[in-house]
Every structure is written in C-alpha cells, then in structure tokens.
Amino acid sequence: MTETVQSSSGAFVKYGATALPTGPILIATDTSPDSDAAFPLAQVVAAQTHADVHIISVLGPFATSMYAFDGMPMPSEPDDGPRLDREVAVRAQLDRLVSSNAGWPVIVRGGESTREIVDYGATVDARVVLAGRGHHGAIGRLLGGETILRMLQLGDRPILAVEPGLTWLPRRVVIATDLSEYSVYAARVAVSLIAPDATVHLVNVGPEFEKTDPILRERAVAFREQARHRFVEIRELLDGRELQFEEALLTGNAADELLRYAESVRADLIVSATHGYGFVRRLLLGSVASVLVRGAPCSVLCVPGSARTTSASNARALDPGHTRIFATGARDAELSAFSDRHRGHPCTVSIHQPELGAQVLGHALTFVGATYDPHARVASLMFGASQLAGAHLTHSVTGVSEIDLSIDGAGHDRVLRLVHGTGYTLVALE
C-alpha cells in the first residue's frame, strides 16, 4: 500500500554532522565478464567527483598437500607469475571497458577476497567500492554468491553492486529510509554519486497498522505526521543541486515493497543503510539489504551502519577543537570525572583493529561510567540503565597504553579513545 505525501515544514530533531569519505573509488574485479559493469560507472562517477580510481583483484589462497592431510587453502602472497598474469588481465579489462590511458593503479593481492578488499578499502579511505552484479541481477563469480554481503558485514565502506548496462550517473534513485541517522547518511553518500539533476524517491516502509486495533491506527497517523517532518529535514540535508524529490510512505514487508516501488519507477539505483548494531548482528545482516542485493531490478548501493559512526567521529575530529591526553597517574580520576559529566548519555562504542577493521559494539548505548586499574592496565566501560540498580553491562579494555579525549570547538567532550595494542576503542557521545 502506498501513500504519497506532501511534506510540511519544520523538523523535530536535527541529524548529527557527518563527513563523507574523500578517498578513491575502488573497483573490485576478478576479470570475469560479471565484473565488467563496475568499470564504465566508475569512469563517470570519477569525472563528477574528481576522485581517483583504484582497481583491486584478489588471487584466492592456493591449495597445498601436507603429509596425512588433504589439500587445504593456505593464505599467502601469490608468486610473481600468477600476480603478473592477473595484472595483465585486469589491465586488458580496463583497456577494453574504459581506456588504455586511464592510468588507474591496479593492486593484485593474495588471500581471501572479502578481507583483502575490505582491508584495502579502509586503508585508502575509499568513498565507495564498486562490484559488478553479473547478468540479469544474478550475483556473479566475483561475489562467490555472498561476497558483497560479507563486505558489508566486515567493512565500513559503501558498496555499490552495479547492474550491467548502467554506464551513466544514476538519474532515477530510490532511497530507502527508516528516518534514522544511518539511513540519512546512506542518502548523503548516494547523492554524492548520482546525476546532479536526478529524481530522488525518498521511501519509508512501515507496518500495516490499518489492519490492527484502533490505538495502533492512531499511532500510525502520528508516525506519518512525524515522517513528513523528517522528509523535510532530509531534503534540506540533501538539496543544494537540481535534484527533484518524490516522497512515499509504504506499508507492508519492507524488502518486497521497496523492490516493487523501484520497479514501478524504473529505478537506476536503490539505496539502503544496513544497521550493524554490533559484531554478531552484522554477521546476521538484515534481510532487507540481503534481498535488495540479491533481487533488485537495478544497481544497489548499501551503506553499513558503521560507516555513519566512522563518519561522525571524523566530523568531530575535524572540528576546531583539541585532544587532551590523560596523564598516566590520573587516568582513573579523569575517567571518573568524565563519568560524572556524561552518566546517562547515549553513545556509540566501536573497536578498531588492523586485522578486523572497525567493529561496532553498539549504538545508542546509555553510558554509566568508566574506571581504570593502573596495575592491570585495564579500563572498564559500563553501559545500561542505572549503575545503582545494577542494570548495566561492562566491557573491559586490556593492555591500555593511552587514553585521550577529543573536544570540539565549543569545549564539549566528543570522543573518548582508549589505545590498546595495535588498535583502539572509541566511545563517541551521540
């Protein structure tokens, strides 16, 4: 069921500041025809954004035989011969689809394809990873059936699965939004990659309240009014060019309704955020994103929830403020003072490790307190409803070597960082 809405003025909550990635466009290819579609689209997106383009291709782990064992995959860097052969094949694909004068760097790595693509994308701060979907929307050989979904689970880069034949900037774009900050960030990423005069359909799908009791029907009316206000604010954030906006409130199964709507407007691109509220949930990626990637009649842009968290931290880091490092002997006292200032404040907690990438432990967690044991070098972070009531959980950070606090230009605490080993943990105040 569809209701087309006319937006009213005003908005009830302002969305937080975010900073879009500024790195290159990254093409992932295995040189098969299924990966061809990413090249022409990368060319036109690069021309609009003035971004560099990098190409990555991964040679899978080889199988070797060991005494008393069957052949098993052993990750390693490929020999010079296979590496050079793959680079030649990638450059031939580039020459055929774009130009021999493109000058795009080609990176050939060995190992598990998903991890290598995710790691390289994070290293260069790729603004988007492009991968071909294969013929007729089928997931091609490059994707191994699930690689795009795995990249969304493990990484924080936007992933654009390109349908064959899309050789122009998308002009009919469906943006699925649940009106959260995560879906708004996905919309901002999308707008940076589409035609300046594109028609953008903002679509929200809710449950079919009309079939329930009168109280829920009343709540549905209130929700729709709030959604109209949210649409206004989203348009204000996205506007600034010659974009044309259409807005729709749908009811029913989210994935099914979005697919039907995208087909009805003959969309070039459908956009969705993926909500990763922690590592376990990211492994069980939401069904909406999965259905869109597998079955959409057009190209699909998916933006992980962790991408918005990372961008918010980057935006805060760019604020004209400063970072204060806690003195070793004063860490527990500093954390106690920080706890007094922000007890009850919602925050996002993420762990950043070179071997795992960025893993979000949770969004909108209520901060209860933090302590530091100088002898064990362990910081304890507590979240929940109330410390006194005991309704909280504790996350321990071991091997802490530094604790610092980012402060914005207005003097407000923004991001608490705990450095440990080769990585760090962030507590970003929302």
Side-chain angles (χ1 to χ4, degrees):
M1 178 178 177
T2 305
E3 177 187 357
T4 301
V5 300
Q6 298 297 323
S7 297
S8 56
S9 61
F12 55 93
V13 176
K14 290 295 182 184
Y15 293 108
T18 52
L20 297 178
T22 57
I25 297 161
L26 180 60
I27 296 174
T29 178
D30 64 355
T31 73
S32 72
D34 289 327
S35 61
D36 282 354
F39 285 77
L41 185 61
Q43 183 180 30
V44 296
V45 172
Q48 173 176 270
T49 61
H50 306 292
D52 294 332
V53 179
H54 292 191
I55 308 172
I56 185 168
S57 191
V58 181
L59 295 171
F62 66 89
T64 186
S65 298
M66 299 177 65
Y67 179 73
F69 290 95
D70 292 332
M72 63 179 63
M74 300 291 291
S76 71
E77 284 299 308
D79 295 333
D80 288 344
R83 182 195 294 274
L84 290 175
D85 290 343
R86 176 59 63 88
E87 182 174 346
V88 168
V90 173
R91 292 197 179 280
Q93 188 179 27
L94 175 61
D95 293 351
R96 173 169 55 86
L97 297 168
V98 180
S99 169
S100 59
N101 299 319
W104 298 348
V106 174
I107 297 89
V108 177
R109 288 188 170 186
E112 197 276 316
S113 61
T114 304
R115 173 54 59 196
E116 294 299 328
I117 295 167
V118 165
D119 287 349
Y120 186 79
T123 299
V124 299
D125 191 29
R127 63 185 67 200
V128 64
V129 179
L130 270 59
R133 292 184 74 205
H135 295 290
H136 309 298
I139 296 179
R141 194 156 54 86
L142 163 68
L143 308 181
E146 298 297 321
T147 298
I148 279 183
L149 299 178
R150 281 180 48 76
M151 285 194 286
L152 291 168
Q153 293 162 357
L154 300 178
D156 62 359
R157 301 293 105 183
I159 309 293
L160 204 169
V162 186
E163 186 75 2
L166 183 62
T167 59
W168 58 88
L169 293 175
R171 301 185 61 84
R172 296 184 297 273
V173 182
V174 173
I175 298 179
T177 175
D178 60 4
L179 311 178
S180 70
E181 289 189 318
Y182 307 104
S183 60
V184 172
Y185 179 74
R188 291 191 60 218
V189 172
V191 167
S192 71
L193 304 174
I194 65 178
D197 58 349
T199 298
V200 175
H201 298 260
L202 299 175
V203 181
N204 174 265
V205 183
E208 296 180 289
F209 287 116
E210 291 81 359
K211 298 181 180 179
T212 60
D213 60 72
I215 293 178
L216 288 180
R217 285 198 294 269
E218 291 178 5
R219 291 182 179 177
V221 172
F223 170 79
R224 287 190 178 115
E225 183 58 30
Q226 290 180 339
R228 292 184 177 96
H229 288 293
R230 275 303 212 199
F231 277 145
V232 171
E233 188 173 356
I234 294 171
R235 287 179 58 165
E236 291 174 349
L237 287 172
L238 301 181
D239 214 352
R241 301 190 295 173
E242 299 301 319
L243 296 174
Q244 304 297 314
F245 288 95
E246 300 286 343
E247 301 162 5
L249 293 174
L250 313 180
T251 57
N253 177 275
D256 292 343
E257 293 298 326
L258 287 167
L259 289 176
R260 276 195 286 267
Y261 190 90
E263 189 167 5
S264 71
V265 299
R266 300 173 58 204
D268 298 320
L269 178 69
I270 187 168
V271 182
S272 176
T274 65
H275 287 266
Y277 298 106
F279 184 64
V280 174
R281 288 197 183 183
R282 292 174 77 190
L283 291 179
L284 304 173
L285 191 66
S287 60
V288 174
S290 300
V291 171
L292 294 181
V293 168
R294 294 185 177 110
C298 59
S299 298
V300 181
L301 172 65
C302 288
V303 182
S306 58
R308 190 264 163 197
T309 301
T310 300
S311 72
S313 297
N314 291 342
R316 289 166 184 153
L318 293 172
D319 281 345
H322 66 278
T323 298
R324 183 163 60 85
I325 300 175
F326 294 170
T328 303
R331 287 174 181 168
D332 190 49
E334 290 276 19
L335 289 178
S336 177
F338 180 86
S339 301
D340 290 340
R341 293 195 299 272
H342 301 294
R343 187 168 289 113
H345 201 115
C347 60
T348 293
V349 182
S350 56
I351 300 175
H352 302 252
Q353 292 280 14
E355 63 273 19
L356 291 176
Q359 306 297 335
V360 178
L361 294 184
H363 299 289
L365 298 177
T366 301
F367 182 73
V368 171
T371 61
Y372 179 73
D373 181 342
H375 302 292
R377 294 174 57 209
V378 174
S380 297
L381 304 173
M382 289 158 281
F383 309 94
S386 168
Q387 187 178 23
L388 295 177
H392 66 275
L393 59 87
T394 299
H395 174 69
S396 296
V397 182
T398 60
V400 174
S401 58
E402 180 180 307
I403 302 177
D404 57 51
L405 178 63
S406 296
I407 302 168
D408 65 20
H412 301 135
D413 297 345
R414 282 306 190 187
V415 181
L416 181 71
R417 186 178 72 133
L418 299 92
V419 181
H420 45 84
T422 59
Y424 54 91
T425 295
L426 295 181
V427 179
L429 298 173
E430 296 182 0

